């Protein structure tokens, strides 16, 4: 089945209700993608993810390339078969992880030479190699290799990285087309990534140049790396204004639950973030009343559920006192239950966002959501 995207409705705010069709099913957008770094969302089984209504998972190319290796996964029938996940998968290019290895990598126009954080072995990641590895993994959506830079960065640094990202996008596109032609296996989509730091002129230029390459989807990269939320929104709004209206738009690495609706109102269709799962393992639960740190002593004999308005399995069955006990005792079940709740919370917000768009009232829902978070304890 050929992957494609359709916009079903546009809210007065600019938000879009859409459907992304992939070889492994339809994804209703806007959508939040849980991060399954090493072919697993830490703490949850695939059955649990399906029950939660997860439509699409993100896999990490860098980690899977190093362990267990993309060729092993190819021999096992691809990532879907390897991890037994029947729905859509998106893989990143590995670029962000490589660029975060500041002391272990060297970037040139050809690619990135880096040392593994696992054993120190040396590797060379090029745009072509990133596509080759992802094609072996067999996801529904692949990402072109880009250069993600630090914040803050000078205009010259951002300009150079954006230019390199554009060149790598062309090379990725050529490699992807050659791989599809050689294998005869099509159906997947390659997304380009817009860079440009926090400079409006660079973001606009990079978006226009990437749009001219006619990718089936686009990501906004290099944000949520330490800049203020307002600046993230400003750059995102600038980029979406220059991307094709009929293509999915993916804002990478966001965000806090109270910020999700802001990105949707800017025309973003796809988001991912490690916050719900990472925070869960650290005992931070997201609730309609704000964040709840379950290790706090005041919850030791609290019989209430984490969130009295939540209908997830955890809130229907377990008390704060029990969840605190599990966390303080370092029980594995603490991470399992906390992760289940946090992902349900994120996915429920996205379901409500889609419903609000369908009724043309995202602005009303946004105000209500913000009031709940600001009024919470």
């Amino acid at each position: 089945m050929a992957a494609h995207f359709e916009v079903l409705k546009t809210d007065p705010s600019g938000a879009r209700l859409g459907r992304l069709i992939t070889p492994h099913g339809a994804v209703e957008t806007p959508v939040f993608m849980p991060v399954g770094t090493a072919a697993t969302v830490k703490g949850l089984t695939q059955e649990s993810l399906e029950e939660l209504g997860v439509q699409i998972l993100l896999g990490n190319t860098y980690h899977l390339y190093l362990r267990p290796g993309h060729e092993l996964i190819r021999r096992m029938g691809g990532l879907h078969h390897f991890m037994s996940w029947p729905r859509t998968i998106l893989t990143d290019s590995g670029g962000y992880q490589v660029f975060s290895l500041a002391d272990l990598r060297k970037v040139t126009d050809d690619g990135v030479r880096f040392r593994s954080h696992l054993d120190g072995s040396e590797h060379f990641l090029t745009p072509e190699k990133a596509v080759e590895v992802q094609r072996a993994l067999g996801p529904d959506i692949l990402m072109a290799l880009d250069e993600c830079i630090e914040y803050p960065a000078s205009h010259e640094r951002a300009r150079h990285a954006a230019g390199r990202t554009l060149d790598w996008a062309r090379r990725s596109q050529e490699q992807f087309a050659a791989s599809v032609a050689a294998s005869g296996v099509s159906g997947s989509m390659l997304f380009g990534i817009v860079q440009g730091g926090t400079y409006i002129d660079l973001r606009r230029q990079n978006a226009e140049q990437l749009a001219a390459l006619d990718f089936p989807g686009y990501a906004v990269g290099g944000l949520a790396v330490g800049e203020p939320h307002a600046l993230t929104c400003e750059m995102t709004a600038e980029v979406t204004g220059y991307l094709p209206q009929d293509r999915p738009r993916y804002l990478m690495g966001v965000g806090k639950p109270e910020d999700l609706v802001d990105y949707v109102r800017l025309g973003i269709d796809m988001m991912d973030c490690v916050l719900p799962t990472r925070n869960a393992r650290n005992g931070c639960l997201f609730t309609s009343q704000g964040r709840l740190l379950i290790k706090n002593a005041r919850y030791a004999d609290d019989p209430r559920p984490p969130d009295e308005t939540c209908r997830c399995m955890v809130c229907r069955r377990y008390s704060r006192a029990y969840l605190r006990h599990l966390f303080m005792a370092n029980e594995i079940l603490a991470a399992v239950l906390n992760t289940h709740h946090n992902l349900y919370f994120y996915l429920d917000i996205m379901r409500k966002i889609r419903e609000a768009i369908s009724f043309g009232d995202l602005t009303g829902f946004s105000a209500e959501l913000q009031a709940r978070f600001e009024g919470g304890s």
Side-chain angles (χ1 to χ4, degrees):
M1 178 197 306
H4 65 277
F5 177 73
E6 52 186 337
V7 178
L8 304 176
K9 183 171 183 176
T10 302
D11 183 84
S13 68
R16 297 127 58 88
L17 190 70
R19 181 177 295 122
L20 177 62
I21 306 298
T22 78
H24 289 87
V27 177
E28 305 298 328
T29 63
V31 67
F32 179 81
M33 301 180 288
V35 178
T37 300
T40 174
V41 175
K42 291 180 175 64
L44 295 183
T45 65
Q46 276 64 301
E47 290 84 353
S48 294
L49 294 170
E50 289 182 65
E51 290 168 4
L52 280 167
V54 173
Q55 306 176 70
I56 175 172
L57 289 180
L58 185 146
N60 188 272
T61 296
Y62 167 83
H63 289 281
L64 295 171
Y65 164 69
L66 293 178
R67 183 173 57 192
H70 61 293
E71 289 299 346
L72 183 149
I73 293 176
R74 187 207 299 270
R75 292 195 301 272
M76 295 295 293
L79 193 53
H80 285 92
H81 288 283
F82 183 61
M83 66 180 295
S84 189
W85 177 249
R87 300 176 183 173
T88 302
I89 294 176
L90 178 149
T91 51
D92 61 15
S93 68
Y96 177 80
Q97 283 71 30
V98 167
F99 293 122
S100 68
L101 301 172
D103 299 327
L104 299 174
R105 50 88 173 163
K106 180 180 181 182
V107 187
T108 67
D109 289 342
D110 291 331
V112 189
R113 191 169 301 280
F114 69 95
R115 291 192 177 277
S116 164
H117 72 288
L118 297 175
D119 59 10
S121 57
E122 187 174 280
H123 304 271
F124 190 48
L125 184 66
T126 65
E128 294 81 8
K129 181 71 172 181
V131 169
E132 174 193 328
V133 172
Q134 290 179 84
R135 286 284 289 173
L137 298 176
D140 303 274
I141 302 170
L142 302 74
M143 304 304 299
L145 184 65
D146 63 322
E147 182 175 9
C148 182
I149 59 174
E150 68 285 349
Y151 171 82
S154 68
H155 189 277
E156 177 62 18
R157 170 90 171 99
R159 185 190 65 80
H160 195 272
R164 181 176 279 156
T165 292
L166 180 65
D167 178 56
W168 286 359
R170 293 192 185 101
R171 289 167 55 186
S172 298
Q173 205 170 45
E174 292 169 2
Q175 178 66 25
F176 181 76
S179 174
V180 169
S183 67
V185 179
S186 60
S188 55
M189 309 168 80
L190 174 70
F191 282 20
I193 303 178
V194 179
Q195 288 289 349
T198 52
Y199 299 96
I200 283 181
D201 60 324
L202 297 180
R203 286 284 175 179
R204 179 188 305 129
Q205 181 183 53
N206 203 233
E208 289 179 321
Q209 292 169 327
L210 280 165
L213 294 179
D214 197 30
F215 282 92
Y218 294 89
V220 184
L223 294 176
V225 290
E227 78 281 0
H229 174 63
L231 191 53
T232 305
C233 290
E234 181 184 358
M235 294 300 110
T236 301
E238 185 65 29
V239 169
T240 55
Y242 289 90
L243 294 178
Q245 294 292 313
D246 62 345
R247 310 294 165 86
R249 303 159 178 170
Y250 164 28
L251 181 56
M252 308 179 78
V254 297
K256 299 175 184 176
E258 61 266 32
D259 296 339
L260 298 178
V261 69
D262 292 339
Y263 304 131
V264 171
R265 295 175 70 182
L266 297 174
I268 291 299
D269 307 297
M270 306 165 67
M271 292 166 274
D272 79 281
C273 190
V274 298
L275 272 183
T277 49
R278 178 179 292 168
N279 281 24
R281 296 193 301 277
N282 291 319
C284 175
L285 302 180
F286 293 104
T287 79
S288 58
Q289 300 301 308
R291 288 158 180 74
L292 187 155
L293 300 179
I294 200 64
K295 69 179 180 181
N296 287 353
R298 60 176 164 163
Y299 301 128
D301 59 354
D302 192 334
R304 295 174 297 166
D307 187 341
E308 292 177 299
T309 69
C310 179
R311 297 302 301 159
C312 81
M313 171 272 292
V314 178
C315 290
R316 283 187 283 113
R317 184 160 188 163
Y318 301 104
S319 68
R320 296 178 181 184
Y322 182 61
L323 294 178
R324 180 183 186 275
H325 158 69
L326 293 176
F327 185 79
M328 300 305 291
N330 200 29
E331 285 288 344
I332 294 172
L333 187 58
V336 173
L337 296 180
N338 293 349
T339 301
H340 184 102
H341 166 78
N342 277 359
L343 273 186
Y344 179 97
F345 186 77
Y346 267 68
L347 296 169
D348 191 50
I349 287 178
M350 297 309 297
R351 280 191 289 267
K352 290 173 179 174
I353 287 175
R354 291 194 295 271
E355 183 179 80
I357 297 173
S358 71
F359 286 111
D361 189 33
L362 186 62
T363 298
F365 173 75
S366 175
E368 176 192 334
L369 184 69
Q370 199 61 41
R372 287 212 314 266
F373 275 105
E374 289 176 356
S377 57

